[in-house]
PDB file of all heavy atoms in Angstrom:
ATOM      1  N   THR A  30     106.135  89.152 106.112  1.00 94.00           N
ATOM      2  CA  THR A  30     105.106  88.592 106.934  1.00 94.00           C
ATOM      3  C   THR A  30     104.441  89.659 107.924  1.00 94.00           C
ATOM      4  O   THR A  30     103.484  89.174 108.659  1.00 94.00           O
ATOM      5  CB  THR A  30     105.787  87.577 107.822  1.00 94.00           C
ATOM      6  OG1 THR A  30     106.770  88.218 108.658  1.00 94.00           O
ATOM      7  CG2 THR A  30     106.501  86.427 107.086  1.00 94.00           C
ATOM      8  N   ARG A  60      80.581  93.421 104.458  1.00 92.00           N
ATOM      9  CA  ARG A  60      81.925  93.348 105.056  1.00 92.00           C
ATOM     10  C   ARG A  60      82.411  94.749 105.231  1.00 92.00           C
ATOM     11  O   ARG A  60      82.366  95.599 104.437  1.00 92.00           O
ATOM     12  CB  ARG A  60      82.752  92.487 104.344  1.00 92.00           C
ATOM     13  CG  ARG A  60      82.625  91.021 104.334  1.00 92.00           C
ATOM     14  CD  ARG A  60      83.764  90.272 103.839  1.00 92.00           C
ATOM     15  NE  ARG A  60      83.990  90.404 102.350  1.00 92.00           N
ATOM     16  CZ  ARG A  60      85.159  90.261 101.875  1.00 92.00           C
ATOM     17  NH1 ARG A  60      86.114  89.554 102.401  1.00 92.00           N
ATOM     18  NH2 ARG A  60      85.241  90.354 100.458  1.00 92.00           N
ATOM     19  N   ALA A 101      77.733  81.703 120.790  1.00 90.00           N
ATOM     20  CA  ALA A 101      76.859  80.755 121.527  1.00 90.00           C
ATOM     21  C   ALA A 101      75.385  80.676 120.971  1.00 90.00           C
ATOM     22  O   ALA A 101      74.876  79.669 120.755  1.00 90.00           O
ATOM     23  CB  ALA A 101      76.826  80.984 122.942  1.00 90.00           C
ATOM     24  N   LYS A 108      73.201  77.636 113.384  1.00 90.00           N
ATOM     25  CA  LYS A 108      73.575  78.326 112.232  1.00 90.00           C
ATOM     26  C   LYS A 108      75.053  78.405 111.857  1.00 90.00           C
ATOM     27  O   LYS A 108      75.811  79.322 112.078  1.00 90.00           O
ATOM     28  CB  LYS A 108      73.222  79.846 112.354  1.00 90.00           C
ATOM     29  CG  LYS A 108      71.594  80.005 112.658  1.00 90.00           C
ATOM     30  CD  LYS A 108      71.117  81.483 112.711  1.00 90.00           C
ATOM     31  CE  LYS A 108      69.581  81.538 112.734  1.00 90.00           C
ATOM     32  NZ  LYS A 108      69.078  82.892 112.871  1.00 90.00           N
ATOM     33  N   ILE A 125      97.595  90.394 116.253  1.00 90.00           N
ATOM     34  CA  ILE A 125      97.308  91.712 115.998  1.00 90.00           C
ATOM     35  C   ILE A 125      97.760  92.703 117.038  1.00 90.00           C
ATOM     36  O   ILE A 125      97.608  92.445 118.250  1.00 90.00           O
ATOM     37  CB  ILE A 125      95.785  91.825 115.745  1.00 90.00           C
ATOM     38  CG1 ILE A 125      95.339  93.097 115.010  1.00 90.00           C
ATOM     39  CG2 ILE A 125      94.940  91.578 116.943  1.00 90.00           C
ATOM     40  CD1 ILE A 125      93.975  93.252 114.378  1.00 90.00           C
ATOM     41  N   GLY A 137     103.366 109.217 106.633  1.00 88.00           N
ATOM     42  CA  GLY A 137     104.629 108.793 106.925  1.00 88.00           C
ATOM     43  C   GLY A 137     104.809 108.679 108.446  1.00 88.00           C
ATOM     44  O   GLY A 137     105.484 107.699 109.019  1.00 88.00           O
ATOM     45  N   GLY A 180     114.122  95.613  98.251  1.00 93.00           N
ATOM     46  CA  GLY A 180     114.118  97.172  98.372  1.00 93.00           C
ATOM     47  C   GLY A 180     112.773  97.718  98.745  1.00 93.00           C
ATOM     48  O   GLY A 180     112.239  97.287  99.746  1.00 93.00           O
ATOM     49  N   ALA A 185     101.206 100.993  91.707  1.00 93.00           N
ATOM     50  CA  ALA A 185     101.121 102.053  90.774  1.00 93.00           C
ATOM     51  C   ALA A 185      99.898 101.772  89.774  1.00 93.00           C
ATOM     52  O   ALA A 185      99.790 100.747  89.370  1.00 93.00           O
ATOM     53  CB  ALA A 185     102.457 102.391  90.090  1.00 93.00           C
ATOM     54  N   ILE A 198     103.298 110.901  92.582  1.00 89.00           N
ATOM     55  CA  ILE A 198     103.502 110.471  91.177  1.00 89.00           C
ATOM     56  C   ILE A 198     104.984 109.968  90.966  1.00 89.00           C
ATOM     57  O   ILE A 198     105.977 110.593  91.530  1.00 89.00           O
ATOM     58  CB  ILE A 198     103.168 111.813  90.237  1.00 89.00           C
ATOM     59  CG1 ILE A 198     101.806 112.113  90.458  1.00 89.00           C
ATOM     60  CG2 ILE A 198     103.549 111.534  88.869  1.00 89.00           C
ATOM     61  CD1 ILE A 198     100.761 111.200  90.072  1.00 89.00           C
ATOM     62  N   PRO A 211     111.570 100.352  87.487  1.00 91.00           N
ATOM     63  CA  PRO A 211     112.406 101.102  88.152  1.00 91.00           C
ATOM     64  C   PRO A 211     112.113 102.578  88.360  1.00 91.00           C
ATOM     65  O   PRO A 211     111.614 103.167  87.369  1.00 91.00           O
ATOM     66  CB  PRO A 211     113.741 101.031  87.470  1.00 91.00           C
ATOM     67  CG  PRO A 211     113.658  99.853  86.665  1.00 91.00           C
ATOM     68  CD  PRO A 211     112.170  99.825  86.222  1.00 91.00           C
ATOM     69  N   LYS A 221      99.592 121.190  89.350  1.00 84.00           N
ATOM     70  CA  LYS A 221      99.199 120.830  88.040  1.00 84.00           C
ATOM     71  C   LYS A 221     100.299 121.172  87.089  1.00 84.00           C
ATOM     72  O   LYS A 221     100.654 122.472  87.075  1.00 84.00           O
ATOM     73  CB  LYS A 221      97.854 121.309  87.821  1.00 84.00           C
ATOM     74  CG  LYS A 221      97.221 120.966  86.449  1.00 84.00           C
ATOM     75  CD  LYS A 221      95.782 121.366  86.263  1.00 84.00           C
ATOM     76  CE  LYS A 221      95.269 120.943  84.898  1.00 84.00           C
ATOM     77  NZ  LYS A 221      93.857 121.466  84.766  1.00 84.00           N
ATOM     78  N   PRO A 225     105.832 114.465  86.635  1.00 82.00           N
ATOM     79  CA  PRO A 225     106.669 113.753  85.788  1.00 82.00           C
ATOM     80  C   PRO A 225     105.929 112.808  84.905  1.00 82.00           C
ATOM     81  O   PRO A 225     106.522 112.372  83.845  1.00 82.00           O
ATOM     82  CB  PRO A 225     107.719 113.172  86.716  1.00 82.00           C
ATOM     83  CG  PRO A 225     107.112 112.942  87.920  1.00 82.00           C
ATOM     84  CD  PRO A 225     105.885 114.103  88.132  1.00 82.00           C
ATOM     85  N   PRO A 270     116.869  99.243  95.628  1.00 90.00           N
ATOM     86  CA  PRO A 270     115.993  99.644  94.628  1.00 90.00           C
ATOM     87  C   PRO A 270     114.536 100.121  95.055  1.00 90.00           C
ATOM     88  O   PRO A 270     114.087  99.805  96.113  1.00 90.00           O
ATOM     89  CB  PRO A 270     115.730  98.384  93.775  1.00 90.00           C
ATOM     90  CG  PRO A 270     115.874  97.301  94.650  1.00 90.00           C
ATOM     91  CD  PRO A 270     116.859  97.678  95.729  1.00 90.00           C
ATOM     92  N   GLY A 284      87.705 106.069 100.317  1.00 91.00           N
ATOM     93  CA  GLY A 284      87.705 107.158 101.077  1.00 91.00           C
ATOM     94  C   GLY A 284      86.898 108.385 100.598  1.00 91.00           C
ATOM     95  O   GLY A 284      86.706 109.237 101.260  1.00 91.00           O
TER      96      GLY A 284
END
Side-chain angles (χ1 to χ4, degrees):
T30 62
R60 285 193 292 165
K108 296 184 177 181
I125 191 167
I198 299 296
K221 188 174 181 180

